Coordinates of all heavy atoms in Angstrom, one line a residue:
M37 N -75.3 2.3 -6.1 CA -75.4 3.3 -5.1 C -74.4 4.4 -5.4 O -74.7 5.6 -5.3 CB -75.1 2.7 -3.7 CG -75.5 3.7 -2.5 SD -77.3 4.0 -2.6 CE -77.2 5.7 -1.9
E38 N -73.2 4.1 -5.9 CA -72.2 5.1 -6.2 C -72.7 6.0 -7.3 O -72.3 7.2 -7.3 CB -70.9 4.4 -6.7 CG -70.1 3.8 -5.5 CD -70.5 2.4 -5.2 OE1 -71.4 1.9 -6.0 OE2 -70.0 1.8 -4.3
V39 N -73.5 5.5 -8.2 CA -74.0 6.2 -9.3 C -74.8 7.4 -8.8 O -74.7 8.6 -9.3 CB -74.9 5.4 -10.2 CG1 -75.5 6.2 -11.3 CG2 -74.1 4.2 -10.8
F40 N -75.6 7.2 -7.7 CA -76.4 8.3 -7.1 C -75.5 9.4 -6.5 O -75.8 10.5 -6.6 CB -77.4 7.7 -6.1 CG -78.5 6.9 -6.8 CD1 -78.5 5.6 -6.7 CD2 -79.5 7.6 -7.4 CE1 -79.5 4.8 -7.3 CE2 -80.5 6.9 -8.0 CZ -80.5 5.5 -8.0
L41 N -74.4 8.9 -5.9 CA -73.5 9.8 -5.2 C -72.8 10.7 -6.3 O -72.7 11.9 -6.1 CB -72.4 9.1 -4.5 CG -72.9 8.5 -3.1 CD1 -71.8 7.7 -2.5 CD2 -73.4 9.5 -2.2
I42 N -72.4 10.1 -7.4 CA -71.8 10.9 -8.5 C -72.9 11.9 -9.1 O -72.6 13.0 -9.3 CB -71.3 9.9 -9.6 CG1 -70.1 9.1 -9.1 CG2 -70.9 10.7 -10.8 CD1 -69.7 7.9 -9.9
W43 N -74.1 11.4 -9.2 CA -75.2 12.2 -9.8 C -75.4 13.4 -8.9 O -75.5 14.5 -9.4 CB -76.5 11.3 -9.8 CG -77.6 11.8 -10.7 CD1 -78.6 12.6 -10.3 CD2 -77.8 11.6 -12.1 NE1 -79.4 12.9 -11.3 CE2 -78.9 12.3 -12.5 CE3 -77.0 10.9 -13.0 CZ2 -79.4 12.3 -13.8 CZ3 -77.5 10.8 -14.3 CH2 -78.7 11.5 -14.7
F44 N -75.4 13.2 -7.6 CA -75.6 14.3 -6.6 C -74.4 15.2 -6.6 O -74.5 16.4 -6.6 CB -75.8 13.8 -5.2 CG -77.3 13.6 -4.8 CD1 -77.9 12.4 -4.9 CD2 -78.0 14.7 -4.5 CE1 -79.2 12.2 -4.6 CE2 -79.4 14.6 -4.2 CZ -80.0 13.3 -4.2
G45 N -73.2 14.6 -6.7 CA -72.0 15.4 -6.7 C -72.0 16.4 -7.9 O -71.6 17.5 -7.8
L46 N -72.3 15.9 -9.1 CA -72.4 16.7 -10.3 C -73.4 17.8 -10.1 O -73.2 18.9 -10.5 CB -72.7 15.8 -11.5 CG -71.6 15.1 -12.1 CD1 -72.1 14.1 -13.2 CD2 -70.6 16.1 -12.8
A47 N -74.5 17.5 -9.5 CA -75.6 18.5 -9.3 C -75.0 19.6 -8.4 O -75.3 20.8 -8.6 CB -76.8 17.9 -8.7
V48 N -74.3 19.3 -7.4 CA -73.7 20.3 -6.5 C -72.7 21.1 -7.3 O -72.7 22.4 -7.1 CB -73.0 19.6 -5.3 CG1 -72.2 20.6 -4.5 CG2 -74.0 18.9 -4.4
V49 N -71.9 20.5 -8.1 CA -70.9 21.2 -8.9 C -71.7 22.2 -9.8 O -71.2 23.4 -10.0 CB -70.1 20.3 -9.8 CG1 -69.3 21.0 -10.8 CG2 -69.1 19.4 -8.9
V50 N -72.8 21.8 -10.4 CA -73.6 22.6 -11.3 C -74.1 23.8 -10.5 O -74.1 24.9 -10.9 CB -74.7 21.8 -11.9 CG1 -75.7 22.8 -12.5 CG2 -74.2 20.9 -12.9
G51 N -74.5 23.5 -9.2 CA -74.9 24.6 -8.3 C -73.8 25.7 -8.1 O -74.1 26.9 -8.2
F52 N -72.6 25.2 -7.9 CA -71.5 26.2 -7.8 C -71.3 27.0 -9.0 O -71.0 28.2 -9.0 CB -70.2 25.4 -7.4 CG -70.1 25.1 -5.9 CD1 -70.2 23.9 -5.4 CD2 -69.9 26.2 -5.0 CE1 -70.1 23.6 -4.1 CE2 -69.8 26.0 -3.7 CZ -69.9 24.6 -3.2
L53 N -71.3 26.3 -10.2 CA -71.2 26.9 -11.5 C -72.3 28.0 -11.7 O -72.0 29.1 -12.1 CB -71.2 25.9 -12.6 CG -69.9 25.2 -13.0 CD1 -70.2 24.1 -14.0 CD2 -68.9 26.2 -13.5
A54 N -73.5 27.6 -11.3 CA -74.6 28.5 -11.4 C -74.4 29.8 -10.6 O -74.7 30.9 -11.1 CB -75.9 27.8 -11.0
A55 N -73.9 29.6 -9.4 CA -73.6 30.8 -8.5 C -72.6 31.7 -9.2 O -72.6 32.9 -9.1 CB -73.1 30.3 -7.2
R56 N -71.6 31.0 -9.8 CA -70.5 31.8 -10.4 C -71.0 32.6 -11.6 O -70.6 33.7 -11.9 CB -69.4 30.8 -11.0 CG -68.0 31.2 -10.6 CD -67.0 30.5 -11.4 NE -66.3 31.4 -12.3 CZ -65.3 31.0 -13.1 NH1 -65.0 29.8 -13.1 NH2 -64.7 31.9 -13.8
Y57 N -72.0 32.1 -12.3 CA -72.6 32.8 -13.4 C -73.8 33.6 -13.1 O -74.5 34.0 -13.9 CB -72.9 31.8 -14.5 CG -71.7 31.2 -15.2 CD1 -71.6 29.8 -15.4 CD2 -70.7 32.0 -15.6 CE1 -70.5 29.2 -16.0 CE2 -69.5 31.4 -16.3 CZ -69.5 30.0 -16.4 OH -68.4 29.5 -17.0
D58 N -74.0 33.9 -11.8 CA -75.1 34.7 -11.3 C -76.4 34.1 -11.8 O -77.3 34.8 -12.2 CB -74.9 36.1 -11.8 CG -73.6 36.7 -11.3 OD1 -73.3 36.5 -10.2 OD2 -73.0 37.4 -12.1
R59 N -76.6 32.8 -11.7 CA -77.8 32.2 -12.0 C -78.5 31.5 -10.9 O -77.8 31.3 -9.8 CB -77.6 31.2 -13.2 CG -77.3 32.0 -14.5 CD -77.0 31.1 -15.6 NE -76.5 32.0 -16.8 CZ -77.3 32.6 -17.6 NH1 -78.6 32.5 -17.5 NH2 -76.8 33.3 -18.6
S60 N -79.7 31.1 -11.0 CA -80.5 30.4 -9.9 C -79.8 29.1 -9.5 O -79.8 28.2 -10.3 CB -81.9 30.2 -10.4 OG -82.5 29.2 -9.5
I61 N -79.3 29.0 -8.3 CA -78.6 27.8 -7.9 C -79.6 26.7 -7.8 O -79.4 25.6 -8.3 CB -77.9 28.1 -6.5 CG1 -76.9 29.2 -6.7 CG2 -77.3 26.8 -6.0 CD1 -76.3 29.7 -5.3
L62 N -80.7 26.9 -7.1 CA -81.7 25.9 -6.9 C -82.2 25.3 -8.2 O -82.3 24.1 -8.4 CB -82.8 26.4 -6.0 CG -83.8 25.4 -5.5 CD1 -83.2 24.4 -4.5 CD2 -85.0 26.0 -4.9
G63 N -82.5 26.3 -9.1 CA -83.1 25.9 -10.4 C -82.1 25.0 -11.1 O -82.5 24.0 -11.7
W64 N -80.8 25.3 -11.1 CA -79.9 24.6 -11.9 C -79.5 23.2 -11.2 O -79.3 22.3 -11.9 CB -78.6 25.4 -12.1 CG -78.8 26.3 -13.2 CD1 -79.2 27.7 -13.1 CD2 -78.6 26.1 -14.6 NE1 -79.3 28.2 -14.4 CE2 -78.9 27.2 -15.3 CE3 -78.2 24.9 -15.3 CZ2 -78.8 27.3 -16.7 CZ3 -78.1 25.0 -16.7 CH2 -78.5 26.2 -17.4
V65 N -79.6 23.2 -9.9 CA -79.3 21.9 -9.2 C -80.5 21.0 -9.5 O -80.3 19.8 -9.8 CB -79.2 22.2 -7.7 CG1 -79.3 20.8 -6.9 CG2 -77.9 22.9 -7.3
L66 N -81.7 21.5 -9.5 CA -82.9 20.7 -9.8 C -82.8 20.1 -11.3 O -83.0 19.0 -11.5 CB -84.2 21.5 -9.6 CG -84.6 21.6 -8.2 CD1 -85.8 22.5 -8.1 CD2 -84.9 20.3 -7.5
L67 N -82.3 21.0 -12.2 CA -82.2 20.6 -13.6 C -81.1 19.5 -13.7 O -81.3 18.6 -14.4 CB -81.8 21.9 -14.4 CG -81.7 21.6 -15.9 CD1 -83.0 21.5 -16.6 CD2 -80.8 22.7 -16.6
A68 N -80.0 19.7 -12.9 CA -79.0 18.7 -13.0 C -79.4 17.4 -12.5 O -79.1 16.3 -13.0 CB -77.8 19.2 -12.2
L69 N -80.3 17.4 -11.4 CA -80.8 16.2 -10.9 C -81.8 15.5 -11.9 O -81.9 14.3 -12.0 CB -81.5 16.5 -9.6 CG -80.6 16.8 -8.4 CD1 -81.4 17.2 -7.2 CD2 -79.7 15.6 -8.0
L70 N -82.6 16.4 -12.6 CA -83.6 15.8 -13.5 C -82.9 15.3 -14.7 O -83.2 14.1 -15.1 CB -84.5 17.0 -13.9 CG -85.7 17.2 -13.0 CD1 -86.5 18.4 -13.4 CD2 -86.6 16.0 -13.0
V71 N -82.1 16.0 -15.4 CA -81.4 15.5 -16.6 C -80.1 14.8 -16.2 O -80.1 13.7 -15.8 CB -81.2 16.6 -17.7 CG1 -82.6 17.0 -18.3 CG2 -80.6 17.9 -17.1
S72 N -79.1 15.5 -16.3 CA -77.8 15.0 -15.9 C -76.9 16.2 -15.5 O -77.0 17.2 -16.1 CB -77.2 14.2 -17.0 OG -75.8 14.0 -16.8
G73 N -76.0 16.0 -14.5 CA -75.1 17.0 -14.1 C -74.2 17.5 -15.3 O -74.0 18.7 -15.5
L74 N -73.8 16.5 -16.1 CA -73.0 16.8 -17.3 C -73.7 17.7 -18.3 O -73.1 18.7 -18.7 CB -72.5 15.5 -18.0 CG -71.3 14.8 -17.3 CD1 -71.0 13.5 -18.0 CD2 -70.1 15.7 -17.3
I75 N -74.9 17.4 -18.6 CA -75.7 18.1 -19.6 C -75.9 19.5 -19.0 O -75.8 20.5 -19.7 CB -77.0 17.4 -19.9 CG1 -76.7 16.1 -20.7 CG2 -77.9 18.3 -20.7 CD1 -77.9 15.2 -20.8
A76 N -76.3 19.6 -17.7 CA -76.6 20.9 -17.1 C -75.4 21.8 -17.1 O -75.4 23.0 -17.3 CB -77.2 20.7 -15.7
A77 N -74.2 21.1 -16.7 CA -73.0 21.9 -16.7 C -72.6 22.4 -18.0 O -72.2 23.6 -18.2 CB -71.9 21.0 -16.1
L78 N -72.7 21.6 -19.1 CA -72.4 22.1 -20.4 C -73.3 23.2 -20.8 O -72.9 24.2 -21.4 CB -72.6 20.9 -21.4 CG -71.4 19.9 -21.5 CD1 -71.8 18.8 -22.4 CD2 -70.2 20.7 -22.1
L79 N -74.6 23.1 -20.5 CA -75.6 24.1 -20.9 C -75.2 25.4 -20.2 O -75.3 26.5 -20.7 CB -77.0 23.6 -20.4 CG -78.2 24.3 -21.0 CD1 -78.3 24.0 -22.5 CD2 -79.5 23.8 -20.4
L80 N -74.8 25.3 -18.9 CA -74.5 26.4 -18.1 C -73.2 27.1 -18.6 O -73.2 28.3 -18.7 CB -74.3 26.0 -16.7 CG -74.2 27.0 -15.5 CD1 -75.5 27.9 -15.6 CD2 -74.2 26.3 -14.2
L81 N -72.3 26.3 -19.1 CA -71.1 26.9 -19.6 C -71.4 27.6 -20.9 O -70.8 28.7 -21.1 CB -70.0 25.8 -19.9 CG -69.3 25.2 -18.7 CD1 -68.5 24.0 -19.0 CD2 -68.4 26.3 -18.1
V82 N -72.2 27.1 -21.8 CA -72.6 27.7 -23.0 C -73.3 29.0 -22.7 O -73.0 30.1 -23.3 CB -73.5 26.8 -23.9 CG1 -74.0 27.5 -25.1 CG2 -72.6 25.6 -24.4
L83 N -74.2 29.0 -21.8 CA -75.0 30.2 -21.4 C -74.1 31.2 -20.8 O -74.2 32.4 -21.0 CB -76.1 29.8 -20.5 CG -77.3 29.1 -21.1 CD1 -78.3 28.7 -20.0 CD2 -78.0 30.0 -22.1
G84 N -73.1 30.7 -20.0 CA -72.2 31.6 -19.3 C -71.3 32.3 -20.3 O -71.0 33.5 -20.1
Q85 N -70.9 31.6 -21.3 CA -70.1 32.3 -22.4 C -70.9 33.3 -23.1 O -70.4 34.3 -23.5 CB -69.5 31.2 -23.4 CG -68.5 30.2 -22.7 CD -67.3 30.9 -22.1 OE1 -66.8 31.8 -22.7 NE2 -66.9 30.5 -21.0
A86 N -72.2 33.0 -23.3 CA -73.0 33.9 -24.0 C -73.2 35.2 -23.3 O -73.4 36.2 -24.0 CB -74.4 33.2 -24.3
G87 N -73.2 35.2 -22.0 CA -73.3 36.4 -21.3 C -74.3 36.3 -20.1 O -74.8 35.2 -19.9
K88 N -74.5 37.4 -19.4 CA -75.4 37.4 -18.3 C -76.5 38.4 -18.5 O -76.2 39.4 -19.2 CB -74.7 37.6 -17.0 CG -73.9 38.9 -16.9 CD -73.1 39.0 -15.6 CE -72.2 40.3 -15.7 NZ -71.4 40.3 -14.5
K89 N -77.6 38.2 -17.9 CA -78.7 39.1 -18.1 C -78.7 40.2 -17.0 O -78.5 39.9 -15.9 CB -80.0 38.3 -18.0 CG -81.2 38.9 -18.6 CD -82.4 38.0 -18.5 CE -83.7 38.7 -18.9 NZ -84.8 37.9 -18.6
C90 N -78.9 41.4 -17.5 CA -78.9 42.5 -16.6 C -80.2 42.5 -15.9 O -81.3 42.5 -16.5 CB -78.7 43.8 -17.4 SG -79.0 45.3 -16.4
P91 N -80.2 42.6 -14.5 CA -81.5 42.6 -13.7 C -82.3 43.8 -13.9 O -83.5 43.8 -13.6 CB -81.0 42.4 -12.3 CG -79.6 42.9 -12.3 CD -79.0 42.6 -13.7
Q92 N -81.7 44.9 -14.4 CA -82.4 46.1 -14.5 C -83.1 46.3 -15.8 O -84.2 46.8 -15.9 CB -81.4 47.3 -14.2 CG -82.1 48.6 -14.0 CD -81.2 49.6 -13.3 OE1 -81.1 49.6 -12.1 NE2 -80.7 50.5 -14.1
C93 N -82.3 46.0 -16.9 CA -82.9 46.3 -18.3 C -83.1 45.0 -19.1 O -83.6 45.1 -20.2 CB -82.0 47.2 -19.0 SG -80.4 46.5 -19.5
S94 N -82.7 43.8 -18.5 CA -82.9 42.5 -19.1 C -82.1 42.3 -20.4 O -82.4 41.4 -21.2 CB -84.4 42.3 -19.4 OG -85.1 42.3 -18.2
E95 N -81.2 43.2 -20.7 CA -80.3 43.0 -21.8 C -79.2 42.1 -21.4 O -78.9 42.0 -20.3 CB -79.8 44.4 -22.3 CG -80.8 45.3 -22.9 CD -81.2 44.9 -24.3 OE1 -80.6 44.0 -24.9 OE2 -82.2 45.4 -24.7
T96 N -78.6 41.4 -22.4 CA -77.5 40.5 -22.1 C -76.2 41.3 -22.2 O -75.9 42.0 -23.2 CB -77.5 39.4 -23.2 OG1 -78.8 38.8 -23.2 CG2 -76.5 38.3 -22.8
C97 N -75.3 41.1 -21.2 CA -74.0 41.7 -21.2 C -73.0 40.6 -21.2 O -73.2 39.5 -20.9 CB -73.9 42.6 -19.9 SG -75.1 43.9 -19.8
K98 N -71.7 41.0 -21.4 CA -70.6 40.1 -21.4 C -70.5 39.5 -19.9 O -70.8 40.2 -19.0 CB -69.3 40.8 -21.8 CG -69.3 40.9 -23.3 CD -67.9 41.5 -23.7 CE -67.9 41.6 -25.2 NZ -66.7 42.3 -25.7
R99 N -70.1 38.3 -19.9 CA -70.0 37.6 -18.6 C -69.2 38.3 -17.6 O -69.5 38.4 -16.4 CB -69.5 36.2 -18.8 CG -69.5 35.3 -17.7 CD -69.3 33.8 -18.1 NE -68.0 33.7 -18.8 CZ -66.9 33.4 -18.1 NH1 -66.9 33.3 -16.8 NH2 -65.8 33.3 -18.7
D100 N -68.1 38.9 -18.0 CA -67.1 39.5 -17.1 C -67.4 41.0 -16.9 O -66.6 41.7 -16.2 CB -65.7 39.3 -17.5 CG -65.3 37.9 -17.5 OD1 -65.8 37.2 -16.5 OD2 -64.6 37.4 -18.3
A101 N -68.5 41.5 -17.5 CA -68.7 43.0 -17.4 C -69.1 43.3 -16.0 O -69.8 42.6 -15.3 CB -69.9 43.3 -18.4
R102 N -68.6 44.5 -15.6 CA -69.0 44.9 -14.2 C -70.1 46.0 -14.3 O -70.9 46.1 -13.3 CB -67.8 45.6 -13.6 CG -66.8 44.5 -13.0 CD -65.7 45.2 -12.2 NE -64.5 44.3 -12.3 CZ -63.3 44.8 -12.1 NH1 -63.1 46.1 -11.9 NH2 -62.3 44.1 -12.2
V103 N -70.2 46.6 -15.4 CA -71.3 47.6 -15.6 C -72.0 47.3 -16.9 O -71.4 46.9 -17.9 CB -70.6 49.0 -15.7 CG1 -71.7 50.1 -16.0 CG2 -69.9 49.4 -14.5
C104 N -73.3 47.3 -16.8 CA -74.2 47.1 -18.0 C -73.9 48.1 -19.0 O -73.9 49.3 -18.7 CB -75.6 47.0 -17.6 SG -76.7 46.8 -19.0
R105 N -73.7 47.7 -20.3 CA -73.4 48.6 -21.3 C -74.7 49.3 -21.9 O -74.6 50.2 -22.7 CB -72.6 47.9 -22.5 CG -73.4 46.9 -23.2 CD -72.6 46.1 -24.2 NE -73.2 44.9 -24.5 CZ -73.3 44.4 -25.8 NH1 -72.9 45.1 -26.8 NH2 -73.9 43.2 -26.0
H106 N -75.8 48.8 -21.5 CA -77.1 49.3 -21.9 C -77.6 50.4 -21.0 O -78.2 51.4 -21.5 CB -78.1 48.2 -22.1 CG -77.6 47.1 -23.1 ND1 -77.7 47.2 -24.4 CD2 -77.1 45.9 -22.8 CE1 -77.2 46.1 -25.0 NE2 -76.8 45.3 -24.0
C107 N -77.6 50.1 -19.7 CA -78.2 51.0 -18.8 C -77.3 51.5 -17.7 O -77.7 52.1 -16.7 CB -79.4 50.4 -18.2 SG -79.1 49.0 -17.0
A108 N -76.0 51.0 -17.7 CA -75.0 51.4 -16.7 C -75.2 50.9 -15.4 O -74.7 51.4 -14.4 CB -74.8 53.0 -16.7
Y109 N -76.1 49.8 -15.3 CA -76.3 49.1 -14.0 C -75.0 48.5 -13.6 O -74.3 47.8 -14.3 CB -77.4 48.1 -14.2 CG -77.6 47.2 -13.0 CD1 -78.4 47.6 -11.9 CD2 -77.0 45.9 -12.9 CE1 -78.6 46.8 -10.8 CE2 -77.1 45.1 -11.8 CZ -77.9 45.6 -10.8 OH -78.1 44.7 -9.7
E110 N -74.7 48.6 -12.3 CA -73.5 48.0 -11.8 C -73.8 46.6 -11.2 O -74.6 46.5 -10.3 CB -72.8 48.9 -10.7 CG -72.1 50.0 -11.3 CD -71.3 50.8 -10.2 OE1 -70.7 50.2 -9.3 OE2 -71.4 52.0 -10.2
F111 N -73.2 45.6 -11.7 CA -73.4 44.3 -11.2 C -72.7 44.1 -9.9 O -71.6 44.7 -9.7 CB -72.8 43.2 -12.2 CG -73.6 43.2 -13.5 CD1 -73.0 43.8 -14.7 CD2 -74.8 42.6 -13.6 CE1 -73.7 43.8 -15.9 CE2 -75.5 42.6 -14.8 CZ -74.9 43.2 -16.0
A112 N -73.3 43.3 -9.0 CA -72.7 43.0 -7.7 C -71.4 42.3 -7.9 O -71.3 41.3 -8.7 CB -73.6 42.2 -6.9
T113 N -70.3 42.8 -7.3 CA -69.0 42.2 -7.5 C -69.0 41.0 -6.6 O -69.0 41.0 -5.4 CB -67.9 43.2 -7.1 OG1 -68.3 43.8 -5.9 CG2 -67.7 44.2 -8.2
T114 N -68.9 39.8 -7.3 CA -68.8 38.6 -6.6 C -67.4 38.2 -6.2 O -66.4 38.8 -6.8 CB -69.4 37.4 -7.4 OG1 -68.9 37.5 -8.7 CG2 -70.9 37.5 -7.5
L115 N -67.2 37.3 -5.3 CA -65.9 36.9 -4.9 C -65.3 36.0 -6.1 O -65.5 34.8 -6.2 CB -65.9 36.0 -3.6 CG -66.3 36.8 -2.4 CD1 -66.5 35.9 -1.3 CD2 -65.3 37.9 -2.1
R116 N -64.5 36.7 -6.9 CA -63.9 36.0 -8.1 C -62.5 36.5 -8.2 O -62.2 37.6 -8.2 CB -64.7 36.4 -9.3 CG -64.7 35.5 -10.4 CD -65.5 35.9 -11.5 NE -67.0 35.8 -11.3 CZ -67.9 36.3 -12.0 NH1 -67.6 37.1 -13.0 NH2 -69.2 36.1 -11.7
S117 N -61.6 35.5 -8.2 CA -60.2 35.9 -8.3 C -59.8 36.3 -9.7 O -60.4 35.9 -10.7 CB -59.3 34.7 -7.9 OG -59.6 33.6 -8.6
Ligands
ZN1158 ZN1 -78.8 47.0 -18.0

C-alpha cells in the first residue's frame, strides 16, 4: 500500500515541477502515474533545461527568459523566487 502512496506522491511532485516549467500539469501527472514519477521528473528536468516553448511563435527559448528572443513575446511572470 505504501508503494501506491509513494507513486502518487511522486506524481504530485511532477505536477509541481510541470507547473514550474510552464507545462501541462495534468498531462505530466498522468504520465508520472503511467510510467514512474522518477522517470517523468527526469524527463521534465531534461526538457526544462532544454528550454520552454513560446506560445506565440512556437520557438524554444531559454527556461529563464522573460521575453521571447524570436518574437518578443512576454512570458507570464510566475511566482518564482
Ligand atoms: Zn516567440
Side-chain angles (χ1 to χ4, degrees):
M37 196 60 213
E38 286 86 4
V39 177
F40 289 106
L41 287 176
I42 294 167
W43 197 267
F44 266 102
L46 277 170
V48 171
V49 170
V50 168
F52 276 110
L53 273 174
R56 227 194 115 178
Y57 290 132
D58 302 319
R59 289 176 189 276
S60 162
I61 297 170
L62 190 68
W64 279 94
V65 169
L66 284 176
L67 182 75
L69 288 173
L70 273 175
V71 286
S72 161
L74 278 176
I75 293 170
L78 278 174
L79 199 66
L80 195 51
L81 283 172
V82 170
L83 286 174
Q85 294 301 318
K88 59 184 172 185
K89 201 175 168 189
C90 173
Q92 191 161 283
C93 68
S94 296
E95 292 285 349
T96 308
C97 299
K98 283 185 179 171
R99 189 166 58 88
D100 294 323
R102 280 187 211 154
V103 178
C104 176
R105 65 186 161 134
H106 302 281
C107 69
Y109 172 84
E110 280 188 45
F111 294 104
T113 44
T114 47
L115 292 172
R116 203 178 287 168
S117 56

